[in-house]
Structures are given as structure tokens and as C-alpha cells.
Amino acid sequence: MSETRLLFDGASRTFGSGRTLVEALRPTHLSVDAGELVAIMGPSGSGKTTLLALAGALDRPSSGKVFVAGQDLASLRPRQLAVMRRRTIGYVFQELNLLPGLTARENIALPLELDGMRLSQAHQQADSALDEVGLFDLANRFPDDLSGGEQQRVAIARAFVGSRRLLLADEPTGALDSVTGEVVMRLLRKHCDAGHTAVLVTHDASHAGWADRVVFLRDGTIVDETGASPDATERPISHWPSPSSP
Amino acid sequence: MSVRHSLLALLAGEPAHGYGLKSGFEASTAGTWPLNVGQVYTTLRRLERDGLVKPTGTGDDSRQTWRITPQGRKELGQWFDTPIPGDPPQRDELAIKVLLAVATDRDDIADMLQSQRVSTMERLQAYTRHKRRADPQAELPWILLLDALILQAEAEVKWLDLCEARLQKRKKR
């Protein structure tokens, strides 16, 4: 049986109270296994970002529980949560991903250093993470000297560096052109195929297409998901229009 | 889709026999539009009648081979140079279904849009799985075709989103 990396057990999030109460996320059940890439789609205000914030321990549910790597986030003290964010969870956002005063290598090494790793060892791990995303030669570049696609690849390398196994991404391909966006998605896919887990919020259907499962949110509720019967869609493509007669 | 111009395009590369054209066509279009060999011969005879190809006799295996004529090259050049008009738009069953649901005021339109969205998304995921497995060097035509299908499916999802947003706006008024 597959290991569950992320579990929403009836977790919800409300803001305000009384007449101004807003249910950003209604009680939600969602389970994501090791090796899975799950895309979350839905209109603005449907609860995508709230869901991601709860999964990443950046926010706490109003009711229900969120488990990451088997641990109930509510049971962790602030210090333990900080450790969880450094060691287990990686984040990639559309913008403001990298610290501009640090090189690519230093950006990736930073969470490891904060976690008490020796500088030389952190740099070594950063280099191998950069190598994995095909940017070994650019280790000494600053973010401003990298293209948008390269910056996102560095951000992904950082999100998976060390022991981190759960990546949470909010529109990571948002500012990229189609070809570069695909490079980023192939990279996420490669990591998930190697046993990592990723939850990706996107409005871009062609990028969500790389996911094993697409979850649809509406008004704070999961209304549907794809991937119930992947075999059914795996048949050879055979329903093409026939060529017109000569 | 024009079988006529596809055969001219293949013959512009080198003379070929009917079966070779069939397999050449299927290879360059990633096997997505199977062509029957009878259709190839019918088309070749019409191309010959119009002076666009000529039989060149039989090859080693005693099969009739064909080559393109200068007139054929001219016709082919025109085909490649002329943009596809795309007008009138192809009949689109999904669009018709949604428009009729709106016109007849069905109360389950939102469910219909959502189940279509899931189905289109599953199709898009299947195309992407094919793309993941394809070799970018050896299978370029296949990848280009999948790109086209993926973008069409993406447009469909976007259109469904837009329908939903516009219908909600109308409901609120």
C-alpha cells in the first residue's frame, strides 16, 4: 500500500464570524500518496490557496485535521512546525521565490543551513539538486541573471532539497511561456515519479494535465476529481475524423 | 483533410508506389488518420488525370511507382502557401449542446458543464501521458499533434469556465 503524505480529515477554514462569516474551505477530505502529483483547479475564491496554506502548515484549520507525513499538524508546537516546514515541505510560488542577494546555490542551501547543516555540506547538496534540474553550471548566478524558467527550476530544486518530500506549488508556471512551463512540469513529474509528492494549484489545464489526479474546487468544496479510471483513457487514440474523400 | 495534397507532398520527396504512400502518410501523421490503400489508388488516378503525377513504370518488386510532375509541384506549393480558411467553423457538438441547454433554460447546466470539464480534463491527461512517453527526436510529428490536441482540450476547459462564470453572473442579476 502506498504511503499517505498529505491527509485532510474534514479540515475546514472559516474567516470572520456571525453575519460576516466566510467559509473559505468547507470540511474537506483529501488524501495524497507518495509519488502522486495532484493538481487543484477552480475559479478564484474557490479555496485553492486556503487549501494549500493548510497543507503547508502556513495556516491552521478552523475544524478537522491536516496530517503531513502522518503527523497531525495541530499536535505540533511552533518550533516543531518550523522544523516540519524546513525539513518536510517545500514551497514554490509564482513570484518572490528566490532571495535576490543570494546565488542559486546559496538560495537552495539556505533551508539546510537554517536547519543546522554545515555550509560545505549544504552547498554540496545544493549542487546535486541543481544538477538534477539541469542547472549545475549556473550555481553561482544571482536570480536576476537567470531566466524566469531557470528561476522556477532553482525554486523546485530548493523545494525538494534535503529530506523534503512534499512540494506545494501555487501557479509555478504562471509567468512562463508554454515550452518553459512544460520544462517545469516535466521536472515536477520526474520528482513525483521518483517518489516525491506534489500538490499544484493551477488555472492552466495543459499543466494540470501532467497530474495523476485533478481535483476541482467550487465555493470551498471539492466537487469532482479526475483519474477515477485511468485505464479507460489509456486506449490508443482511435476516434479521429477520417480523411475526407479525394 | 486533403489526401490529394498529402500524396503530392510525399511524392515531392521521392517517387513511390501506392502502398509506400499509405505507410509514408501514416508515418508522417503519427498514424492518427489511417488511410486505406484503395483510397490511395483512387486519388493517384485522379491526380494522374489532372496531370499532377505520372506513372514511372514498375520497380524491382513489379509494383507501379509514381512521381510528381512540375504541375503537381506547383499545385503543392499553392497548398502549402495558402492558409487554412477555418471558415465556416466546424460544427461543434459541445457548443451546440451548451447553447441549447441555455436556450431551453435547463436547470442542470452547471452539472453538465462540470461533467464535461472532468471528461475533457481526463482526455487532456491521457494526451499528456502519451507525450511523456514519446521520444522528442524520433516522434516529433506525434508530439506536435499531441500539442495541438492538448491546446484544443485546454481551450475547451477555458470555454466551460467562461460559460459557467457568465451564467452565474446572469443568475445573480
Side-chain angles (χ1 to χ4, degrees), chain A residues 182 189 193 204-206 208-213 216 218 224 226-227 233-234 237 240-241 243-244 246, chain B residues 1 3 32-33 39 43 46 114 117-118 121-122 124-129 131-133 142 149-150 154 164:
Chain A
E182 183 177 316
R189 190 65 258 180
D193 290 345
D204 193 327
S206 62
W210 290 83
D212 299 296
R213 239 185 327 150
F216 296 91
R218 284 283 176 287
D224 241 322
T226 68
T233 53
E234 216 48 38
I237 297 173
W240 305 80
S244 58
Chain B
M1 196 212 70
V3 176
T32 39
W33 289 282
Q39 203 175 3
T43 310
R46 290 183 192 181
Q114 180 55 27
R117 191 171 6 237
V118 172
M121 202 57 232
E122 281 173 348
L124 205 160
Q125 285 175 282
Y127 294 151
T128 309
R129 281 194 290 272
K131 187 153 93 170
R132 269 164 65 191
R133 287 195 290 260
W142 179 220
L149 293 166
I150 285 169
E154 183 186 5
E164 186 178 292

Side-chain angles (χ1 to χ4, degrees), chain A residues 51-242:
Chain A
L51 188 147
L52 213 59
L54 293 179
L58 300 171
D59 191 9
R60 286 170 179 274
S62 308
S63 69
K65 286 174 191 284
V66 177
F67 295 84
V68 171
Q71 287 207 287
D72 176 2
L73 294 182
S75 72
L76 302 179
R77 295 164 206 252
R79 272 182 75 108
Q80 293 172 307
L81 268 179
V83 170
M84 167 78 86
R85 287 190 209 107
R86 276 204 307 273
R87 290 190 189 160
T88 309
I89 309 172
Y91 309 86
V92 179
F93 303 104
Q94 186 176 337
E95 283 160 2
L96 299 172
N97 260 316
L98 304 173
L99 295 173
L102 301 182
T103 63
R105 175 189 290 128
E106 290 163 350
N107 261 289
I108 297 173
L110 184 64
L112 301 175
E113 286 177 59
L114 288 174
D115 208 29
M117 191 182 280
R118 278 204 339 267
L119 187 67
S120 58
Q121 201 189 343
H123 278 192
Q124 216 168 31
Q125 288 210 11
D127 282 349
S128 83
L130 273 169
D131 197 21
E132 233 175 286
V133 300
L135 294 178
F136 184 74
D137 294 340
L138 306 184
N140 290 316
R141 294 258 186 109
F142 288 94
D144 281 352
D145 300 327
L146 297 170
S147 72
E150 288 163 353
Q151 289 184 27
Q152 277 315 44
R153 280 150 73 190
V154 172
I156 288 173
R158 185 183 57 185
F160 279 131
V161 78
S163 58
R164 293 162 160 201
R165 291 290 175 269
L166 173 63
L167 178 137
L168 304 172
D170 198 351
E171 301 283 5
T173 50
L176 306 178
D177 64 67
S178 311
V179 172
T180 317
E182 183 177 316
V183 170
V184 169
M185 289 314 303
R186 276 188 191 274
L187 197 58
L188 276 186
R189 190 65 258 180
K190 192 179 105 185
H191 277 289
C192 291
D193 290 345
H196 290 116
T197 303
V199 178
L200 159 80
V201 162
T202 181
H203 65 271
D204 193 327
S206 62
H207 292 154
W210 290 83
D212 299 296
R213 239 185 327 150
V214 182
V215 171
F216 296 91
L217 271 179
R218 284 283 176 287
D219 302 322
T221 305
I222 293 179
V223 290
D224 241 322
E225 61 179 62
T226 68
S229 55
D231 291 345
T233 53
E234 216 48 38
R235 64 184 182 273
I237 297 173
S238 59
H239 49 280
W240 305 80
S242 8

